[in-house]
Amino acid sequence: MKKTILCFVLMTLLSAGAAVAQTKVVAHRGYWKTEGVKGPDDATVSSQNSINSQNGAAQIGAYGSEFDIWSTTDGELFVNHDGVLNGVTIQTSKAADVKNLKLPDGEYISTLDQYLKNFTKHPNLEVVLEVKEHKNKLQEDAAVKKAIKLVNKYGLSKRTTWITFSLNAMLDMLKWLPQGTPIYYLDGELSPKTLKKIGAAGLDYQLKVMKKHPEWFKAAHDLGLKVNVWTVNKKEDMQWCIDNGADFITTNEPVTCLQLVKAN
Ligand code: MG
């Protein structure tokens, strides 16, 4: 009798453990907010998408550090969110005109090569690499190819998650990356069913899209897909994502989110 009860308790614990995976926290553009220290925009000591912000994400124990990449016309890849930095449009400029641009915190803009190299200092930090949508699709194709090469160069292929708004770039990734590589789509218009058909690992959708389609959490999970929600900055929204079983939350407030995940 005792054995049967013990067996039942163990099985219940195991199945609960399998069903409830903890939500992982991705620092959106790195961790660039540090309370109490005034920076360029009053709350910032390191710029978004800077090496400092990547280091910050590692320091606070985030699961991953997200960043965005753009290609120049001559095929150099740079890390920045906006397409334009200090008046220079990256995708229509040459590398020589971009490499000396400074981020608001005074750090030079990073090439993808430099940015990935820095990830090798943080063995527990997932690389969450967003390929930005380029006007020139050949340039975009080349950007995906080069990004894959650089990820491999630094031995980061096993801990890189690929994300994009561009359907073209996603199809490139699906073609050129090994099967099973986590590739997520950011634009909210494709259903989990369609993403499964295409071969994506899941959806990485804006909070308002997921609020409109809360049924997509279960639909995705039933199909074996994962769900990442961005950019979730309010505590109540983080809790909503956790309650709905989000696999990842991408946030500008990773410290708050990490605390909340721990408390759940
Ligand atoms: Mg991004």
Side-chain angles (χ1 to χ4, degrees), residues 13 15 72-73 80 90 100 126 133 161 176 208-210 219 221 225 232 235 240 253:
L13 283 173
S15 64
T72 56
T73 52
N80 199 55
I90 302 170
N100 292 325
E126 179 85 358
E133 183 150 29
T161 295
W176 297 330
K208 69 173 183 198
V209 173
M210 293 312 291
H221 289 150
L225 300 176
V232 187
K235 227 172 163 178
W240 182 83
E253 304 289 350

Side-chain angles (χ1 to χ4, degrees), residues 243-261:
D243 292 343
N244 276 285
D247 301 279
F248 310 93
I249 291 174
T250 300
T251 176
N252 292 337
E253 304 289 350
V255 173
T256 307
C257 199
L258 283 164
Q259 283 165 352
L260 196 63
V261 165

Side-chain angles (χ1 to χ4, degrees), residues 140-205:
E140 190 173 274
D141 295 341
V144 174
K145 252 185 199 160
K146 184 163 181 180
I148 294 171
K149 220 170 139 184
L150 289 172
V151 162
N152 291 337
K153 174 181 166 185
Y154 289 108
L156 298 167
S157 59
K158 291 273 188 300
R159 58 180 177 107
T160 299
T161 295
W162 299 79
I163 60 174
T164 187
F165 270 95
S166 161
L167 205 49
N168 172 69
M170 180 166 70
L171 295 175
D172 285 349
M173 292 167 183
L174 288 163
K175 232 186 314 172
W176 297 330
L177 286 160
Q179 219 182 356
T181 302
I183 299 165
Y184 290 81
Y185 187 57
L186 295 165
D187 218 348
E189 86 281 12
L190 300 182
S191 70
K193 212 174 158 186
T194 307
L195 285 170
K196 175 73 180 177
K197 250 188 230 164
I198 294 173
L203 34 151
D204 188 346
Y205 285 173

Side-chain angles (χ1 to χ4, degrees), residues 28-29 49 66-69 80-81 128-132 163 165 186 230 250:
H28 185 233
R29 307 178 197 168
N49 276 319
E66 188 265 357
F67 60 94
D68 313 276
I69 62 158
N80 199 55
H81 176 264
V128 183
L129 193 162
E130 178 178 348
V131 176
K132 282 292 180 188
I163 60 174
F165 270 95
L186 295 165
W230 57 272
T250 300

